[in-house]
């Protein structure tokens, strides 16, 4: 066992790109180093549901050929983990659910297709809360994910697998999905960068739908620049997704100047709630002061409907989910349990195939949409959504971006919030508003509390990913929290091989 | 509680979810509790507020009515639990008048 493979897994995407194109390392070695690390460490983490070993090695060989022919793209040869709600025609896609346990999609998601064309390497399908419903990755039907910073704690969710993989060097970058915070919150808990783009910036074709007016796909990385490059690779209009925007995609890396002088950054007092940990509040306040010292002007803004975002979301998202998950009926794919009648096959298949949280949300959504309750719940929620959206639109009159904590707490212990569903839902209280308004948000590490990562969230106007990337990058370059590593990584290296 | 056990069973029927008795009881408590939290929305006067169904401002996104390729039937049927001569096979949808087999 040499130190070499550990070193390759420490590279950032930018470093790897230079080393690959400069022929200092091969894509095959880079991929193999990640596969070796997954084999040694993932039993403790649980980040992967399916490792695409053969596919990855073949892709790596092809990447080396392209690099040698000087035909590389930014993502050529880069080892990526894909949240298991993204359809891959050459690997199972399960949504971490028994109802899709053996499902092999007949097509790729558009984001997968784009990465494949660029010559990226797919290490595997990353674990998630079932159907992306959860805030801790404890709802996976197969196994939970453990936080690399403290294996007894959750990585966050629902994209716990992609987030933990990047934090634990089991992937260089990854793709997750964010419906109410499912990229940003786990990025925060795992001390990595996570970005949710503007609704419509990235195609949802081939993303197993949870809530169609809220879902977005986005990157995890250890640096803001790596996240920007990954986002660039998958962004842009897709004729197969009628909600994807035709607006041109700027060169996101152009925003990474390190200069935020004169930018107006809003802070809203509504992003301080009871039950927020002092260590989190302190780290975020320190980060905001840092932004001021870098030349930004900190401005108070009001987002008066912030507290209503959570209840609004817990009508809207389950309602949309109840429609999107109706397709899992044992007829076209997935689990199919036998019964005497068609209706009973539906009921048995869905009753046994879905986990508890999924059933809970389908029930909530079905109730909210049912006759007699539709106006009181679903339409009401849509109207409050307008108010939340208008809060942000008003804010953009006075500020360029808004900063806030990503979560009220650091990563909590496994099992700590599984008794009362609403306690779990509260983990997303700061991330949900951005999904309701359709605006982009990035989570970036901003310190530690009790040894666990704290995260700063930067929100911007629709299609202003460049603005939030600029601010996050400038902060990151000034503070370098990225240099801290999860202590479990070093312990794993000391552990004897199995 | 906001929901009765009959309410829960009715919603489960609408959602085609087969629930065990203890699930029905547990969901009654959990869903009622969640709906209690949601009543916070009643604090807001939204009479004059239009609903937001979609945050994109696109409408009627269309493409030309030109036939393009589709998926290979074999690929599509590969995941089918039951298939018959190129079709997905299911239990009878229609039956005798005295049978309650409505899907």
């Amino acid at each position: 066992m040499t130190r070499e493979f550990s070193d390759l897994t420490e590279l950032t995407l930018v470093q790897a790109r230079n080393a690959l194109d400069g022929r200092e390392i091969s894509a095959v070695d880079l991929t193999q180093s990640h596969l070796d690390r997954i084999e040694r460490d993932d039993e403790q983490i649980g980040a992967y549901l399916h490792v695409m070993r053969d596919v990855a090695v073949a892709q790596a060989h092809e990447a080396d050929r392209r690099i040698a022919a000087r035909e590389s793209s930014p993502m050529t040869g880069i080892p990526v983990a894909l949240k298991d709600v993204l359809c891959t025609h050459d690997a199972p896609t399960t949504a971490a659910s028994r109802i899709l346990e053996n499902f092999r999609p007949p097509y790729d998601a558009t984001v997968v297709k784009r990465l494949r064309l660029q010559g990226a390497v797919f290490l595997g399908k990353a674990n998630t809360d079932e159907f992306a419903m959860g805030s801790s990755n404890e709802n996976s039907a197969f196994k939970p994910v453990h936080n690399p910073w403290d294996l007894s704690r959750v990585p966050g969710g629902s994209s716990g697998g992609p987030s933990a993989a990047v934090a634990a060097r089991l992937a260089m970058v990854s793709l997750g999905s964010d419906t109410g915070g499912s990229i940003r919150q786990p990025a925060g808990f795992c001390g990595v960068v996570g970005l949710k783009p503007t609704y419509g910036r990235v195609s949802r074709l081939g993303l197993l739908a949870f809530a169609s007016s809220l879902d977005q796909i986005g990157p995890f990385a250890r640096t803001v620049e790596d996240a920007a490059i990954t986002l660039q690779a998958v962004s842009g209009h897709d004729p197969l997704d009628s909600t994807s925007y035709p607006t041109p995609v700027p060169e996101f890396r152009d925003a990474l100047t390190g200069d935020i002088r004169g930018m107006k950054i809003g802070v809203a007092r509504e992003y301080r709630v009871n039950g927020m940990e002092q260590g989190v509040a302190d780290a975020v306040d320190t980060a905001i002061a840092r932004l001021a010292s870098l030349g930004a002007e900190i401005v108070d803004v009001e987002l008066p409907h912030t507290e209503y975002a959570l209840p609004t979301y817990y009508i809207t998202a389950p309602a949309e989910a109840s429609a999107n998950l109706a397709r899992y009926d044992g007829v076209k794919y997935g689990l199919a349990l036998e019964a005497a009648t068609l209706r009973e096959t539906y009921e048995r298949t869905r009753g046994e195939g879905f986990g508890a949280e999924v059933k809970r949300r389908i029930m909530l959504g079905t109730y909210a949409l049912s006759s007699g309750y539709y106006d009181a719940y679903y339409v009401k929620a849509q109207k409050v959504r307008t108010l939340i959206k208008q809060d942000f639109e008003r804010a953009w009159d006075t500020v360029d971006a808004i900063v806030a904590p990503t979560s009220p707490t650091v990563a909590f212990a496994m099992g700590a919030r599984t008794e009362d569903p609403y306690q779990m839902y509260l983990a997303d209280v700061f991330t949900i508003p951005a999904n309701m308004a359709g605006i982009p948000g990035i989570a970036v590490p901003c310190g530690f509390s009790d040894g666990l990562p704290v995260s700063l969230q930067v929100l911007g106007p629709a299609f202003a990913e460049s603005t939030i990337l600029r601010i996050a990058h400038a902060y990151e370059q000034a503070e370098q929290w990225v240099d801290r590593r999860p202590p479990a990584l070093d312990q794993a290296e000391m552990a004897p091989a199995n | 509680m906001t929901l009765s056990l009959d309410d829960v069973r009715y919603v489960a029927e609408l959602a085609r979810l087969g629930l065990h008795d203890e699930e029905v009881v547990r969901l009654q408590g959990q869903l009622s509790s969640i709906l209690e939290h949601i009543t916070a929305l009643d604090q807001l006067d939204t009479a004059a507020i239009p609903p937001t169904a979609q945050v994109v401002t696109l409408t009627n996104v269309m493409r030309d009515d030109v036939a393009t390729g589709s998926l290979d039937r074999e690929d599509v049927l590969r995941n089918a639990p039951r298939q018959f001569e190129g079709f997905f096979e299911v239990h009878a949808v229609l039956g005798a008048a005295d049978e309650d087999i409505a899907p």
Side-chain angles (χ1 to χ4, degrees), chain A residues 364 419-423 425, chain B residues 1-3 26-39:
Chain A
L364 199 47
E419 279 309 303
D420 177 3
Y422 211 79
Q423 280 307 305
Y425 298 164
Chain B
M1 284 206 242
T2 317
L3 297 177
R26 190 166 52 239
L27 280 166
Q28 183 199 22
Q30 291 175 339
L31 294 175
S32 297
S33 165
I34 294 167
L35 289 168
E36 275 294 308
H37 288 284
I38 284 167
T39 58

Side-chain angles (χ1 to χ4, degrees), chain A residues 151 487-495:
Chain A
L151 298 173
L489 293 189
D490 298 319
Q491 282 163 27
E493 282 165 49
M494 300 299 188

Side-chain angles (χ1 to χ4, degrees), chain A residues 102-107 199 212-213 242-246 305 307-308 311-312 314-315 320 330-334 336 338-343 345-347 350-352 354 359-360 362-364 366-367 370 377 379-387 389 419 421-422 425 436-438, chain B residues 2-3 7-20 23 26-27 30-31 33-35 37-58 61 63 71 75-82 88-93 100-103:
Chain A
N102 296 309
F103 178 59
R104 180 72 68 104
Y107 60 92
Y199 183 87
S212 302
S213 79
S242 59
T243 62
S244 79
Y245 238 71
H305 298 95
E307 69 181 281
Y308 299 103
T312 306
Y314 275 102
I315 295 177
E320 294 183 6
V331 174
K332 300 173 290 297
Y333 36 63
E338 248 317 298
T341 67
L342 185 56
R343 170 165 344 185
T345 62
Y346 293 157
E347 289 171 343
R350 292 160 62 78
E352 316 250 334
F354 287 137
K359 283 191 277 197
R360 197 158 29 240
I362 290 174
M363 293 286 287
L364 199 47
T366 304
Y367 180 72
S370 65
Y377 286 110
V379 176
K380 182 76 181 183
Q382 290 187 317
K383 293 181 169 205
V384 178
R385 186 172 186 178
T386 302
L387 293 174
K389 196 160 176 272
E419 279 309 303
Y422 211 79
Y425 298 164
M436 303 306 291
Chain B
T2 317
L3 297 177
D7 287 334
V8 176
R9 288 193 199 99
Y10 174 62
V11 174
E13 194 182 308
L14 290 176
R16 299 296 185 263
L17 287 175
L19 299 176
H20 304 298
E23 279 180 296
R26 190 166 52 239
L27 280 166
Q30 291 175 339
L31 294 175
S33 165
I34 294 167
L35 289 168
H37 288 284
I38 284 167
T39 58
L41 297 184
D42 294 338
Q43 296 164 14
L44 295 171
D45 178 4
T46 55
I49 307 295
T52 293
Q54 269 279 9
V55 289
V56 284
T57 53
L58 302 168
V61 176
R63 66 174 176 86
L71 296 171
D75 290 338
V76 174
L77 286 172
R78 189 172 303 123
N79 288 292
R82 279 167 33 176
F88 295 104
E89 189 187 346
V90 297
H91 280 301
V93 174
D100 174 24
I101 60 161

Side-chain angles (χ1 to χ4, degrees), chain A residues 225-241:
Chain A
E225 187 168 15
D226 285 3
I229 294 168
T230 309
L231 178 67
Q232 193 83 48
V234 297
S235 291
H237 181 247
D238 179 12
L240 292 175
D241 176 0

